[in-house]
Amino acid sequence: MTDLEPATPRAGGPPGSHLPGVAGRRVTDLSAAAGGVVWLGVVAGTAGGVLSLSPPALYVGLAALVLVPLGLGVLESPRDATPPSAPYRGAAVGQFPAALALVVALTAPQGSLAAVALTVPWLGVTGTIALCGLGRLVDRGGGPLPDLAIDAGLLYVPVAAAFLCLHAAGVSLRFAPIIVLLTGVHFHYAGFALPLVVGLTGRHLAGADGRFPATVAGRATAGTTVVVVAGILLIAIGITFSPLIEVVAVVAFTAGVVGFALRTLRDVVPTVARLPGLLLAVAALSLCWTMALALAFAYASLPGTAVLVTIPEMIRWHGSVNAFGFALPALLAFRLLEA
């Protein structure tokens, strides 16, 4: 099989897969694997002085090359009898070349026509991902809540691409230029990966109807899910318009994320296979650390308060742990659980 077509099941794999594949392998798996190799090459080139990419740009590259295909790979189950939607197939197939173009754009001079042109394909792919989320939402007519969280992640990710386009064009709006780039990073991790993981985890905690049980724990999980999904947007509004709104939103968001992490440690990790459980435990513990840093950083935005964490420190400790401690282990865990 040389052309892109529905993947045939490999030995020991799930039968009847309709997911896009090549030679019996999912396109998303191949993209994530190839993307990982490319990303390691970019890191080596940056370390050797051949390339010049900042840590935020490397986080963007990791998200585009590895995390987004992993996320798409766990979005649709190969056991589903219904073929995936056209937007899903388009995003799965088009993601890798668009991610490569984006990485090249990050090496181009900011404000150049080449940087903008090479970023636009990623905007197209993420827009297609958003169409996939919208289609899922419409097809279901709303809930259940775990799937709404997944849909939110798909709908948020074009915001990341839009800010990367602004960064490539050298447009900073009313923000410092670094904030525009960091917003592109933020919406790949907190906007795409986090709601997706919250939704996938919620599926493990929900009942057979996909809804959380009417227990104290079930209601608490439902509440944290809503807070996480809504908090991403509220934080962006606060950063744009009001430090007070930002701090309040970050406090609520932090509480929701930590609550979700603790529920994962208590009720999900012990119930799954050892390796996925270990990866989810690492992801949950990492979230507690990154949320503490986010809270400290937001506090400093209030007038008259001391700076507790600087932007370079956030890039180093918040960004790296979100990438390698949370997003990558969590998405790998869910891919393993599906295998």
Side-chain angles (χ1 to χ4, degrees):
M1 199 188 311
T2 57
D3 296 326
L4 293 173
E5 57 187 60
T8 55
R10 54 184 192 270
S17 175
H18 294 277
L19 300 181
V22 177
R25 303 284 178 176
R26 294 194 210 178
V27 166
T28 50
D29 287 348
L30 296 173
S31 293
V37 172
V38 170
W39 187 81
L40 290 174
V42 170
V43 171
T46 300
V50 178
L51 300 173
S52 179
L53 270 74
S54 65
L58 290 174
Y59 298 150
V60 168
L62 179 69
L65 288 166
V66 180
L67 301 182
V68 169
L70 277 177
L72 289 173
V74 297
L75 179 62
E76 300 281 353
S77 170
R79 298 171 180 82
D80 291 341
T82 305
S85 65
Y88 177 86
R89 295 179 66 87
V93 173
Q95 169 273 325
F96 185 64
L100 287 178
L102 177 62
V103 171
V104 176
L106 293 169
T107 68
Q110 191 178 1
S112 67
L113 180 61
V116 176
L118 289 166
T119 307
V120 168
W122 190 245
L123 183 62
V125 165
T126 56
T128 305
I129 293 173
L131 286 177
C132 178
L134 183 61
R136 284 168 40 89
L137 184 62
V138 171
D139 288 344
R140 291 194 325 274
L145 202 51
D147 280 290
L148 284 174
I150 293 171
D151 297 340
L154 304 182
L155 292 169
Y156 277 137
V157 71
V159 178
F163 272 87
L164 292 178
C165 285
L166 291 174
H167 170 75
V171 177
S172 58
L173 302 176
R174 58 189 293 268
F175 306 108
I178 187 63
I179 299 300
V180 176
L181 176 58
L182 292 177
T183 303
V185 178
H186 175 78
F187 273 91
H188 277 103
Y189 289 87
F192 174 74
L194 179 59
L196 190 60
V197 171
V198 167
L200 292 168
T201 305
R203 285 179 173 177
H204 280 261
L205 297 169
D209 60 354
R211 303 181 185 279
F212 295 116
T215 61
V216 173
R219 292 190 180 97
T221 304
T224 59
T225 302
V226 171
V227 168
V228 169
V229 171
I232 296 164
L233 181 60
L234 290 174
I235 291 170
I237 292 172
I239 291 173
T240 305
F241 298 108
S242 168
L244 180 59
I245 293 176
E246 178 189 357
V247 171
V248 172
V250 170
V251 170
F253 181 74
T254 298
V257 172
V258 171
F260 153 76
L262 295 177
R263 183 84 200 273
T264 300
L265 286 169
R266 192 189 76 173
D267 295 327
V268 177
V269 170
T271 66
V272 299
R274 181 173 299 176
L275 180 55
L278 176 61
L279 290 170
L280 287 175
V282 169
L285 292 171
S286 297
L287 280 178
C288 295
W289 164 252
T290 60
M291 287 303 99
L293 290 174
L295 190 60
F297 183 77
Y299 169 77
S301 66
L302 291 173
T305 55
V307 174
L308 301 178
V309 185
T310 65
I311 288 179
E313 288 171 336
M314 284 292 286
I315 291 171
R316 175 178 296 179
W317 302 115
H318 179 86
S320 62
V321 176
N322 262 337
F324 302 107
F326 162 64
L328 187 58
L331 292 174
L332 282 173
F334 282 108
R335 181 63 187 91
L336 290 172
L337 287 172
E338 195 180 85

